[in-house]
Amino acid sequence: MLINAYEMGTDKGGTLNWSDLRLHFVDTFSLLFSSVTFYVWTATLGFAVLAGPFGSYDTMSWPIRTAYWAAVITAAILVGFAARATMRALLGGRHPALFDLGASFLVGIALGPLIWFLRGWMDPILAHEDLNPIKITLNSFLIACGVFVVRRQIGAEAPTSYWSRPATKPETPAQTRLHRRLSCPPFAEIHRLSANNHYVEVATSDGIETLRLRLVDAIEEMEPVAGICTHRSHWVAFAAISGTERESGGKIFLLLKNGDRVPVSRKYRPNLEAAGVIDSLDAVFQAR
């Protein structure tokens, strides 16, 4: 359940998006075999075997106690990873108190019945009827609460405070879900998206990459970066626009910071005019 924090990403206020869920599961479980997870698992197992919490010292021999706590701790880490990924997909970096309570609740309801089953099955003295599954579930929830609170306080989960929003850096380009598909640096600025059959060309401040993806899906993954479609095959970020260029035939192009020229079609021109992109910039460039 001790998981390093990943980027806050985008969040949609509690709506579960299956694409987001899959990406957060991949991100979270990429730490499963990290050295930190191994050290936590080993230290926790050593403590549990030696101390024998929850009466396991009195009812189990050390070999059985070792096997039992190894199974419980492994299950707790897996469930904790899954709970964290689920809450990331639901809330992103918003509402940290609700995030930790929700993740702890998921851990409790998933881990409590599993611990009840393992204890009744592996304990040579206690049977299932001797155990209280509700109490075990409550204990699992409370322990998970403590773990998630500690993680946030030590900076393993962002934001690190329950009372204030994390400081933002306006000069740093926002990271999007689309960045996870790219090999460029995490905060490289994405200038435009261009469709090419079943592929999308992504122009960033670090170069150009091609992804097998629909343009509409790529645009959806650009949140929270603001932008606009200039053509059925082109989308540009507002922050990447540096000017306009009008050809003799009246055709308009948007000029981007990386030097690209993106065509503006008649169908999408009213949208750019309504957004003030063409009017304001055209006036400047025509006056030159």
Side-chain angles (χ1 to χ4, degrees):
M1 287 181 287
L2 294 176
I3 311 167
N4 288 340
Y6 268 77
E7 68 285 347
M8 290 179 60
T10 61
D11 44 77
K12 299 185 178 181
T15 301
L16 182 60
N17 181 290
W18 292 110
S19 177
D20 283 349
L21 183 63
R22 180 181 61 83
L23 290 173
H24 283 297
F25 262 78
V26 171
D27 286 347
T28 300
F29 276 88
S30 66
L31 296 174
L32 183 60
F33 298 104
S34 69
S35 58
V36 173
T37 304
F38 175 75
Y39 294 147
V40 169
W41 184 89
T42 304
T44 307
L45 177 61
F47 171 80
V49 172
L50 293 175
F54 301 104
S56 60
Y57 190 90
D58 298 323
T59 61
M60 296 179 176
S61 63
W62 74 264
I64 297 177
R65 195 162 65 244
T66 300
Y68 168 74
W69 282 112
V72 169
I73 294 168
T74 300
I77 290 177
L78 293 174
V79 172
F81 273 45
R84 188 264 183 187
T86 301
M87 295 308 297
R88 269 288 168 186
L90 280 170
L91 298 178
R94 302 174 63 184
H95 312 299
L98 183 59
F99 179 104
D100 289 349
L101 284 173
S104 301
F105 175 77
L106 293 176
V107 171
I109 62 174
L111 194 60
L114 179 59
I115 293 177
W116 173 81
F117 171 77
L118 288 174
R119 186 67 181 268
W121 176 50
M122 300 182 68
D123 197 304
I125 297 178
L126 298 178
H128 286 120
E129 53 268 22
D130 300 319
L131 304 171
N132 187 336
I134 296 178
K135 184 178 179 179
I136 294 174
T137 299
L138 179 60
N139 286 336
S140 300
F141 167 75
L142 293 175
I143 292 173
C145 281
V147 172
F148 280 107
V149 168
V150 170
R151 290 185 66 255
R152 193 171 296 280
Q153 297 308 309
I154 65 176
E157 190 75 64
T160 58
S161 172
Y162 290 108
W163 313 113
S164 61
R165 297 183 66 85
T168 57
K169 297 181 180 180
E171 68 277 9
T172 301
Q175 188 174 19
T176 69
R177 285 188 289 138
L178 191 63
H179 278 88
R180 301 174 188 172
R181 301 178 182 271
L182 304 173
S183 60
C184 64
F187 289 101
E189 186 176 1
I190 296 179
H191 295 154
R192 67 169 171 85
L193 307 173
S194 299
N196 183 9
N197 293 324
H198 299 294
Y199 295 85
V200 171
E201 185 180 82
V202 184
T204 73
S205 55
D206 196 60
I208 296 177
E209 297 188 36
T210 301
L211 302 175
R212 187 175 179 82
L213 188 68
R214 295 189 308 165
L215 179 61
V216 63
D217 294 329
I219 294 173
E220 182 181 3
E221 293 189 7
M222 280 301 298
E223 293 179 8
V225 174
I228 192 168
C229 286
T230 68
H231 186 280
R232 67 178 182 178
S233 300
H234 300 284
W235 177 96
V236 300
F238 284 128
I241 301 173
S242 63
T244 62
E245 183 177 278
R246 186 187 299 271
E247 292 186 343
S248 57
K251 191 171 184 178
I252 299 176
F253 291 83
L254 293 186
L255 304 179
L256 306 186
K257 292 192 297 187
N258 62 350
D260 287 350
R261 296 167 72 247
V262 181
V264 176
S265 69
R266 292 182 179 179
K267 176 181 177 181
Y268 290 90
R269 178 173 174 175
N271 296 337
L272 275 76
E273 291 176 344
V277 175
I278 293 180
D279 287 344
S280 59
L281 291 176
D282 260 354
V284 173
F285 278 82
Q286 286 177 350
R288 290 185 175 182

